[in-house]
Amino acid sequence: MSLPEEDLTCPVCCDIFTDPVLLSCSHSFCRACLKRCWDTGLRECPVCRKRASKYFPPSNLALKNVCEALLQTRRQSLAPTEDKMNCSLHGEKLKLFCQVDKQPICVVCQSSKLHKTHDCSPVEEAVLDCKDELALSLKTLQDKVDSLKRIQRTSADMSKYIKSQALETQRLIRIQFEQLHQVLCQEESARLAAVKKEEEEKIVGMKDKIKELSAELLSLTETIAVIQEQLKEDDMVMLKNFKATQDRGKSIVLGSDNMSGLLIDVTKHLCNLKYRVWEKMLEHIDYTPVTLDPNTAHPCLILSDNLTSLYYSKQPSSCPDNPERFHMSAEVVAMTPLGSGSHHWVVETGSNQDWLLGVASLSVPRNSEVSARPENGFWTLCFRDGEFRAMTSPPTPLTLSRTPKQIKVQLDYNKGTLSFFDPADNTVICAFTHTFTETLLPYFYTQSSHPLRIMPEKVLVTMLRQ
């Protein structure tokens, strides 16, 4: 059982015993401490003042062994700390911090060639600076952890959304193909019915022709029989009946023996059948030059199933926080990249009283709110509070004789012009001139529950003849 440290402490120096001696009064002291006390002339115990019987008191070997064991234990526990505090090369205390090599050094190291030209600072100052840097690094790393956790949550949400997106897209594809199938079935039924109708008409015609031929054949047979009988009569009888018999033979007029056109007109039904069906299907198909990209739409924008119209809802939809999406404002772009050539599309604004239309650069920020101005990569026409404005810097008010229900947007990328028209009379509302260098996207904004709708265009089929 170990003794308390106070039992191993000299009453004179208040430190662990060094070479302890034992007096007759049972008190122990360091040999050197007791000698200093007795050098004053009084040979007595410094604690109880009892006179000592011996000038050279015996060593307290048991106490000495215990104290040496304690000191040894202390030295062993302090050795690593001392090693850490001292230079491994020179054994001197590490008092400086090299700013270049980012390590503590001693004064001898500072004078060496290795660190002589390096900036150094006291360890105390370096500790504060390094702690600040580590705290900053810790914050940066923690921010990265938070960002990764957020991305991880977003990724999980996106995985679920991708599944629902795929199911919804498949459903809409099936609906459109069902509509196409229905048109094809109706067209097939109509063409089969046309063949059946022609078959019935041709069969009725053939029956009439056969009936007509049978009547003619009967008449001719009877006339032949009469002539044959007359040839058998007496000459005078034959002569008396000659005129009547001859007139009867001449009165028979045969019908047309033209048999053309009686068969079914197969060519009419099969000639370029697939092409003519496809041409007929175009009457049931809409084509829009611009299609909205739902992956860029702000959560409060509701897009139609065919991605050609949008309106604002106060109830945001549950969609992932993907980088392409506009997060701050009710915006969406189309998926049609415009990097050259001429393009146009017509938007029906109807009763919508709050909208912006035009084009935006591919690189416009999606997670921050910026003004729709040319310097920010936007070229737009705005209608708000009953007023039209060209979104220049600053915006330019426009005076129109009437409020159009449709707006035509026309871009000539190579010439660097973007124009807005009233398609009713093709009058120019406003125009931008700019040297475009980046890919553009059709741009839409609204905070109205009344929809904006991209108008379909007529599809014209042109045959090229070699």
Side-chain angles (χ1 to χ4, degrees):
M1 187 174 180
S2 61
L3 295 172
E5 191 169 317
E6 56 265 23
D7 292 341
L8 304 178
T9 303
C10 172
V12 177
C13 66
C14 297
D15 204 349
I16 301 299
F17 286 111
T18 303
D19 189 14
V21 295
L22 180 64
L23 298 181
S24 59
C25 60
S26 300
H27 290 124
S28 295
F29 303 93
C30 296
R31 188 179 295 278
C33 294
L34 183 62
K35 185 178 181 303
R36 283 197 303 272
C37 291
W38 283 2
D39 285 345
T40 60
L42 296 176
R43 201 169 68 235
E44 60 184 16
C45 175
V47 175
C48 64
R49 302 302 178 182
K50 183 177 180 179
R51 189 169 182 80
S53 59
K54 297 179 181 180
Y55 188 78
F56 297 102
S59 296
N60 191 338
L61 295 178
L63 182 60
K64 180 181 179 181
N65 292 336
V66 173
C67 291
E68 287 181 350
L70 176 63
L71 291 173
Q72 180 65 22
T73 303
R74 278 189 178 182
R75 281 193 294 272
Q76 291 176 351
S77 62
L78 291 174
T81 304
E82 291 177 356
D83 290 342
K84 291 179 182 178
M85 297 299 294
N86 295 334
C87 176
S88 60
L89 295 176
H90 308 107
E92 297 290 333
K93 191 172 182 180
L94 300 171
K95 294 183 177 180
L96 301 172
F97 185 77
C98 178
Q99 300 290 352
V100 177
D101 296 325
K102 302 296 182 184
Q103 63 180 13
I105 60 175
C106 67
V107 290
V108 180
C109 292
Q110 185 187 24
S111 303
S112 67
K113 291 182 179 179
L114 186 62
H115 300 282
K116 190 172 184 179
T117 59
H118 294 176
D119 291 334
C120 299
S121 62
V123 167
E124 294 77 8
E125 293 181 8
V127 167
L128 296 176
D129 294 339
C130 291
K131 282 186 176 180
D132 289 342
E133 286 190 29
L134 289 176
L136 183 61
S137 298
L138 180 63
K139 184 180 183 305
T140 302
L141 292 173
Q142 189 61 52
D143 290 342
K144 289 182 178 179
V145 169
D146 295 340
S147 177
L148 286 174
K149 287 182 178 178
R150 184 173 62 256
I151 293 173
Q152 191 177 39
R153 289 192 300 269
T154 302
S155 299
D157 293 341
M158 287 180 70
S159 296
K160 294 179 182 177
Y161 188 76
I162 287 170
K163 290 181 180 179
S164 63
Q165 212 177 16
L167 290 174
E168 179 64 11
T169 304
Q170 290 170 348
R171 184 185 71 84
L172 295 175
I173 288 174
R174 289 192 186 96
I175 289 175
Q176 295 205 28
F177 269 94
E178 285 172 3
Q179 293 171 349
L180 293 175
H181 292 159
Q182 187 176 0
V183 173
L184 280 173
C185 288
Q186 291 173 351
E187 190 64 21
E188 178 188 11
S189 299
R191 292 183 180 275
L192 291 175
V195 174
K196 186 66 176 176
K197 181 180 179 182
E198 186 175 356
E199 175 195 8
E200 293 172 352
E201 289 175 351
K202 290 297 172 72
I203 288 176
V204 170
M206 284 303 301
K207 287 180 178 180
D208 292 342
K209 186 70 174 177
I210 292 171
K211 186 177 180 180
E212 179 184 342
L213 290 172
S214 298
E216 290 179 354
L217 182 60
L218 178 61
S219 178
L220 281 172
T221 303
E222 291 176 350
T223 301
I224 289 171
V226 169
I227 292 175
Q228 288 175 342
E229 288 295 326
Q230 288 298 317
L231 289 173
K232 294 177 182 179
E233 293 286 345
D234 293 333
D235 292 343
M236 189 54 67
V237 175
M238 183 270 294
L239 290 175
K240 287 182 178 180
N241 295 329
F242 173 75
K243 187 176 185 309
T245 303
Q246 190 179 37
D247 290 344
R248 180 173 180 172
K250 290 181 179 180
S251 65
I252 297 175
V253 180
L254 296 178
S256 173
D257 60 354
N258 184 9
M259 301 295 287
S260 63
L262 296 179
L263 298 179
I264 289 178
D265 191 351
V266 177
T267 304
K268 179 183 71 175
H269 297 288
L270 295 181
C271 177
N272 294 318
L273 176 60
K274 293 179 182 178
Y275 171 78
R276 288 188 290 117
V277 171
W278 172 71
E279 194 176 35
K280 191 73 176 291
M281 287 184 68
L282 291 178
E283 300 174 4
H284 304 272
I285 296 173
D286 289 335
Y287 171 78
T288 50
V290 167
T291 304
L292 302 173
D293 185 353
N295 293 337
T296 68
H298 185 274
C300 288
L301 287 182
I302 308 300
L303 308 187
S304 61
D305 288 345
N306 61 359
L307 305 178
T308 60
S309 69
L310 66 148
Y311 67 91
Y312 183 84
S313 171
K314 294 182 179 179
Q315 298 297 326
S317 59
S318 57
C319 54
D321 189 19
N322 53 300
E324 302 89 349
R325 193 174 304 281
F326 287 94
H327 304 294
M328 304 302 295
S329 185
E331 303 163 282
V332 64
V333 291
M335 61 186 297
T336 311
L338 311 174
S340 63
S342 181
H343 311 268
H344 75 272
W345 56 96
V346 177
V347 181
E348 183 179 67
T349 56
S351 302
N352 191 309
Q353 299 290 311
D354 186 3
W355 50 260
L356 274 82
L357 301 174
V359 296
S361 295
L362 184 63
S363 63
V364 295
R366 310 290 175 93
N367 58 357
S368 60
E369 190 169 0
V370 296
S371 300
R373 310 282 179 83
E375 64 268 22
N376 296 326
F378 295 87
W379 293 268
T380 60
L381 173 67
C382 174
F383 181 63
R384 182 173 292 161
D385 300 327
E387 295 181 356
F388 284 89
R389 291 189 292 273
M391 295 304 288
T392 53
S393 296
T396 304
L398 303 172
T399 302
L400 277 68
S401 59
R402 61 188 181 86
T403 302
K405 294 299 181 182
Q406 293 183 350
I407 301 294
K408 179 181 178 181
V409 185
Q410 183 164 318
L411 169 71
D412 192 321
Y413 188 96
N414 298 336
K415 291 183 178 179
T417 59
L418 176 71
S419 305
F420 296 88
F421 297 86
D422 179 354
D425 53 11
N426 212 36
T427 56
V428 178
I429 299 173
C430 70
F432 291 87
T433 301
H434 183 81
T435 303
F436 300 113
T437 58
E438 189 179 346
T439 299
L440 303 176
L441 296 171
Y443 171 82
F444 304 81
Y445 163 92
T446 186
Q447 275 197 305
S448 170
S449 59
H450 297 282
L452 298 173
R453 188 165 72 97
I454 304 166
M455 301 300 292
E457 294 187 353
K458 267 292 183 188
V459 178
L460 299 178
V461 180
T462 303
M463 297 299 295
L464 296 177
R465 298 185 181 277
Q466 298 293 335

